[in-house]
Amino acid sequence: MKRFDYIRADAPEQAATSASAKAAFFIAGGTNLLDLMKLEIETPSTLVDVNRLELEQIEETAEGGLRIGTLVSNSDLAAHPTVIANYPVLSRAILAGATGQLRNKATTGGNFLQRTRCYYFYQTDSPCNKREPGTGCPAINGENRSLAILGTSDACIAQHPSDMAVAMRLLDATIETVKADGSTRAIAVKDFYCLPKDTPHIETVLESGELITHVVLPAPIKGMHTYDKVRDRASYAFALVSCASVIEVDDTGNLATVRLAFGGIGSQPWRNEDVEALLTGSTGDDDTIKQAADLLLKDAKGHGQNDFKIPLTRRLLKQVIQRALADILLVKRGA
């Protein structure tokens, strides 16, 4: 690990100003950053410690939603009574990730900024456009079983690893930040991540020194909340394919609300509102689900080892819809 300067910030504005220097990084839980530093994938000149900032609160908003401080740990967020009651898909997504020890340290803001777990990104003796722009993407013709099939480019097929961010995309979260000049802004999570295109090393729209301070959730969405995660083992594994969903059925048995966001298959948390619109108002019959899957995957591209993700995503989509219909209708009939 290379030498670096260390600054302990006492205010968000100070943190942002301190981190605006070249190769400066914020550190909170450090669950991803410290690994990257040990491997010398990241070599910060300065670490700006934000743990003293008073950003550990979860507060209700006037609109009926939640405002979550960036330093709220994943464990605390998943266990918060309001999250469990009103946003269970978020709680379930967080609990599907990592281990209890890591969730105790990992923060809400940091979770959004996880780096890909692509094998070549972590191999410093290998080319990687995300790590070293312009060197190439050996994953395209190499070990790519876990990598993305949507939102990729000829420069990068890395997948986004976060479970929490998939649920946040489903819930239309907004990310609040403070910049190095002291100004603030609110970024819809759908606009937060960048597609790789020719610049896969640019992963978000954050500017140099810009600090995530809060994440705001809108009012709760009525319906059945689920998070399904297909992975190689039952714990401490990243998603091959995951699906966060909120589904509601009307009194006639038709789908009244359909929200779906996918992990493991995209270069960012993946949501397609056209798919949701196609399913909404339908009976969830096999033909409609097939059309929805065709639409979701129309631009999907496998690269050999990860080809299986395309049929696996189809099966998961069908399972999520049909299970929700069966469970919700069973409850309605029982009521």
Side-chain angles (χ1 to χ4, degrees), residues 160-272:
H160 191 273
S162 173
D163 291 292
M164 183 202 77
V166 176
M168 291 290 194
R169 177 69 182 90
L170 179 83
L171 296 169
D172 287 329
T174 298
I175 297 169
E176 296 182 344
T177 69
V178 61
K179 297 184 184 182
D181 62 5
S183 63
T184 61
R185 64 169 169 163
I187 309 165
V189 69
K190 68 177 182 178
D191 301 322
F192 183 71
Y193 294 106
C194 301
L195 292 172
K197 298 183 181 179
D198 295 327
T199 55
H201 59 292
I202 302 174
E203 298 179 348
T204 74
V205 299
L206 293 177
E207 299 176 5
S208 177
E210 191 168 6
L211 172 68
I212 296 174
T213 58
H214 297 87
V215 180
V216 179
L217 296 176
I221 308 163
K222 183 181 178 182
M224 178 179 172
H225 289 226
T226 62
Y227 187 73
D228 292 87
K229 183 175 181 179
V230 182
R231 46 187 164 174
D232 285 325
R233 56 183 184 271
S235 65
Y236 200 44
F238 293 96
L240 295 172
V241 182
S242 66
C243 181
S245 64
V246 177
I247 297 173
E248 180 64 306
V249 178
D250 64 23
D251 292 336
T252 67
N254 291 338
L255 293 165
T257 299
V258 179
R259 288 198 182 199
L260 304 164
F262 294 85
I265 61 173
S267 57
Q268 58 183 255
W270 203 261
R271 185 176 171 197
N272 186 324

Side-chain angles (χ1 to χ4, degrees), residues 105-127:
K105 290 295 293 180
T107 60
T108 300
N111 195 305
F112 280 106
L113 303 175
Q114 288 185 73
R115 308 299 301 277
T116 181
R117 265 53 178 192
C118 174
Y119 173 80
Y120 299 98
F121 176 74
Y122 277 85
Q123 288 293 116
T124 54
D125 59 349
S126 168

